[in-house]
Amino acid sequence: MSLRNPWRWRESTADIDRSDPLVITELITKGAAEASSVDLWEQYRMNPEPSERPSSGPLSRRRLLAAGAATAGALTLASPAVAAPATASTKRRSAALVVHHARVLTGRSHAPQHEAVAVSRDGRILAVGPSSVVRRYAGRDTEFVDARGATVMSGIIDGHAHPLEAGARSLSPSLENGEFTVEELQETLRAFLTDSAAQEPDGWLVVEDWNPIGLPPGTETHRRILDALPTRRPIALVGSDGHNSWVNQRALDLAKITASTPDPAGGAIVHDPDGSPTGLLKDTAQDLVRRLIPGPSEADLRDACALALAHAASKGVTTFMDALADAANLDTYAALARTGRLPQRIVPALHLDADHIKDPAAALAYATGLRRKYGQVRGLRFGTVKVFLDGVIEYPAQTAALLTPYLDGEGRPTDHRGDLYVSSAEYGRLATVLDRAGWQLHGHAIGDRAVRTALDGYEAAVRAGGRRGNRHTIAHLQLVHPDDLRRFARLGVVACMQLQWAMRDTWTMDALLPYIGARRHRWLYPARSLQRHGAALSGGSDWPVDPLEPWNQVRTAIDREGAVAEQGALYPKLESLSRSDTLRMHTAGSAYQLRLEGLTGTLTPGRAADLVVLDRDVTRVPVRELSDTQVRLTLTEGRRVFDADAAPARTTATGTAARPASLARVHGAGRHGACGCTKAMSRN
């Protein structure tokens, strides 16, 4: 038996659940002697009863969760160790909810599909199995949901997102990641200025979701385009990638950015040949302006964030890793939790800045202090820190760190290899200290040099303290050198990927292929290559850098094309994943990344009832139809956090400020059919 790929290790003894990839990975990682799992199917397979045929009626909900709503306030987040499998005594307890006539995906590798799932009154999975068996758990007030043969599965566990940022962005006007001529952009901005004319002459115009590659080729991103607008107001266009901002001269003056202003650590001020700033600010240089922009009131921000999280629940997300959390974010989460407006479980990845990276002891004290202060907030689970190792790879930013320099667009090599924000030695020291204290590192790494640097750091931690099971992670992984693929499994590093980007579009072709060449381009988002070399995969959306569309995300991981085929698929024969592997990647895989597999990510007895009822059988519909999947019901720990039958009409926005008619006209043109209004094209 080969242990080369723990995700494919099959069962060999009766007392160990060899079909569960999470159990097997844990066995290999910790050297455990045995593990057990209870599955209702195993209890009844020796004496099966005839299953019931699916109903032809509509998805129905009778007295849905009347009892479950009453228990919502009393539910607490149990640790993985508490989430024990069901015992014989649980058979005598009636269920709060039974979903039947379903195709229940437990999330366990090689496990059969079931027909029904019962949810206990304490928010746990009580039973999974044939409908005729699970219905034995019904009591007088048990709610029944007829799934009409559609899929019931674990809720989406988003391993890398910025949900509060989605709320904050919704309070400003948005360019929706569109492509514009200079004239179209100026027309749209003039309309935004008109809509907020009362803020003349000093109020900031902040516009979200600017596409850094959205101007015609050869057009310079320069302050003079913004300075031509009829206003004295400071203007800041915030890039949808999170790594670029474009400001006018008034904003530069207020920020005191001149030709002599030095670049901050981890950022760059772009200059004209004469030394004057152009108005383009990269990465941490954005903070020079951002700190001057007045924020919304706390009440407005919290309301916007609550709407954003409710929107995520409607997409089936039951757990988020907030990939850039600080004390202000934690205050917001605490306020939402107090008012019952936190529908997801949140794992904050506490952001470490350049000073923390240079002083690992201070970094540990900072993270520990925040955990001590906010650790009792219901719904928050601490243990992760976030580090940026580089920026973004696409032209014109090109701040991702590469092993071999960028090309000039005509195939000629340059001397530019991007920006590496932390050295291997620094990252190794940081990883060693935090690993020893039980903290997990979550590293942003886009370029192959940044990926190698992160792996070097994690290897240093393993050499210093052995394998401790902290599941350090690398996020994004847009470009991975083939020599580094096998290191993930050897070091126990999780590959957190945003595979909705793995398509042929403007970002991967026009803004990238000419600048890295075909040989490297083939290694974009190497999901199957990582899996083939034994890496554990997890999934994330990077919302709101991209619109939150988890089912299109699943689809694109499979066909490498996505909902709007712009230029065809991106190396599908080399790097696509199977449907079952992709679904597990975004549920059980992300649970494993976040060290929550004992609590969520699979529908097995004793786990939290984090589940979704969908409108179709996602195991059977054509792949292209996965993007259109709708969620009918979302439960988090048995609590109803979204019900399509009770919700208002669906919207495609999360509370985004109204856009002027000029923007609608621009996006009605055919050349914008593949922009951010209809699909994800942005990067972070």
Side-chain angles (χ1 to χ4, degrees), residues 72-285:
L75 294 178
T76 58
L77 290 176
S79 67
V82 176
T87 63
S89 63
T90 64
K91 297 180 184 178
R92 302 185 182 94
R93 292 157 45 193
S94 66
L97 172 71
V98 170
V99 183
H100 64 139
H101 294 159
R103 292 181 66 83
V104 181
L105 303 183
T106 66
R108 293 170 52 200
S109 180
H110 313 300
Q113 289 186 358
H114 298 303
E115 295 175 324
V117 57
V119 176
S120 71
R121 299 177 188 277
D122 63 355
R124 300 283 169 158
I125 300 297
L126 183 60
V128 180
S131 291
S132 58
V133 172
V134 174
R135 291 183 66 175
R136 296 176 181 176
Y137 288 83
R140 292 182 178 180
D141 59 350
T142 298
E143 304 295 335
F144 278 84
V145 173
D146 184 345
R148 287 189 59 209
T151 296
V152 175
M153 57 180 283
S154 168
I156 296 294
I157 300 176
D158 195 319
H160 184 104
H162 310 276
L164 298 188
E165 179 68 14
R169 288 190 184 190
S170 72
L171 294 172
S172 297
S174 171
L175 290 173
E176 299 187 356
N177 207 30
E179 299 174 7
F180 300 87
T181 66
V182 171
E183 292 76 16
E184 289 169 342
L185 176 62
Q186 289 175 329
E187 178 188 0
T188 301
L189 295 177
R190 278 195 294 270
F192 288 148
L193 289 166
T194 299
D195 290 344
S196 56
Q199 298 184 40
E200 289 285 353
D202 299 317
W204 282 82
L205 176 64
V206 179
V207 181
E208 298 288 349
D209 303 317
W210 160 59
N211 184 345
I213 62 170
L215 292 174
T219 304
E220 184 180 9
T221 303
H222 201 281
R223 67 179 186 279
R224 59 176 164 264
I225 295 175
L226 305 181
D227 291 342
L229 295 169
T231 183
R232 292 187 59 248
R233 295 168 61 183
I235 298 175
L237 274 55
V238 181
S240 56
D241 60 358
H243 293 263
N244 293 274
S245 290
W246 181 13
V247 302
N248 65 352
Q249 185 63 53
R250 179 79 190 283
L252 291 171
D253 292 341
L254 290 173
K256 297 181 171 55
I257 299 174
T258 67
S260 60
T261 304
D263 289 338
I269 302 167
V270 179
H271 296 272
D272 277 330
D274 65 3
S276 59
T278 67
L280 181 60
L281 307 173
K282 299 182 180 183
D283 290 316
T284 60

Side-chain angles (χ1 to χ4, degrees), residues 7 21-30 80 321 383-385 427 434-435 438-443 458 461-462 466-475 488 491-496 536 538 588-600:
W7 293 84
L22 301 176
V23 171
I24 298 310
T25 306
E26 192 70 11
L27 288 172
I28 294 173
T29 301
K30 296 183 176 181
M321 192 199 79
T384 303
V385 297
Y427 203 62
L434 291 170
D435 181 75
W439 285 83
Q440 172 194 52
L441 273 72
H442 187 90
Y458 298 148
V462 170
R467 291 279 290 274
R468 295 174 176 268
N470 290 319
R471 300 176 196 171
H472 304 302
T473 303
I474 302 177
F488 284 79
L491 297 172
V493 175
V494 178
C496 178
S538 67
S590 293
Y592 177 79
Q593 171 201 323
L594 301 177
R595 299 180 289 187
L596 295 176
E597 74 276 13
L599 176 64
T600 188

Side-chain angles (χ1 to χ4, degrees), residues 252-463:
L252 291 171
D253 292 341
L254 290 173
K256 297 181 171 55
I257 299 174
T258 67
S260 60
T261 304
D263 289 338
I269 302 167
V270 179
H271 296 272
D272 277 330
D274 65 3
S276 59
T278 67
L280 181 60
L281 307 173
K282 299 182 180 183
D283 290 316
T284 60
Q286 300 175 92
D287 296 337
L288 301 174
V289 167
R290 188 176 294 158
R291 64 194 180 196
L292 303 176
I293 300 173
S297 70
E298 289 188 6
D300 287 346
L301 177 62
R302 291 170 184 172
D303 288 346
C305 291
L307 286 173
L309 292 169
H311 172 73
S314 77
K315 297 293 185 178
V317 180
T318 55
T319 299
F320 275 117
M321 192 199 79
D322 186 320
L324 195 66
D326 58 16
N329 297 142
L330 299 178
D331 281 337
T332 301
Y333 282 126
L336 293 173
R338 284 195 301 270
T339 55
R341 295 189 293 174
L342 186 57
Q344 288 88 14
R345 184 182 298 104
I346 305 294
V347 178
L350 305 175
H351 179 221
L352 301 183
D353 60 22
D355 291 336
H356 289 134
I357 292 170
K358 291 180 172 60
D359 188 348
L364 178 59
Y366 168 75
T368 303
L370 289 177
R371 179 170 61 184
R372 185 181 305 114
K373 182 177 180 179
Y374 297 97
Q376 300 307 309
V377 174
R378 183 184 181 277
L380 299 187
R381 298 180 67 90
F382 288 85
T384 303
V385 297
K386 165 71 176 292
V387 176
F388 283 94
L389 286 96
D390 67 348
V392 292
I393 194 171
E394 292 84 9
Y395 178 86
Q398 296 184 335
T399 52
L402 303 186
L403 293 168
T404 303
Y406 289 89
L407 306 179
D408 66 358
E410 300 295 332
R412 296 182 294 268
T414 69
D415 60 359
H416 177 54
R417 294 202 297 156
D419 303 315
L420 188 64
Y421 301 148
V422 54
S423 69
S424 293
E426 289 173 329
Y427 203 62
R429 288 191 292 270
L430 180 70
T432 298
V433 170
L434 291 170
D435 181 75
R436 186 178 296 121
W439 285 83
Q440 172 194 52
L441 273 72
H442 187 90
H444 164 116
I446 293 281
D448 52 7
R449 183 160 62 117
V451 172
R452 181 168 293 180
T453 298
L455 291 169
D456 289 345
Y458 298 148
E459 187 165 16
V462 170
R463 286 199 305 267

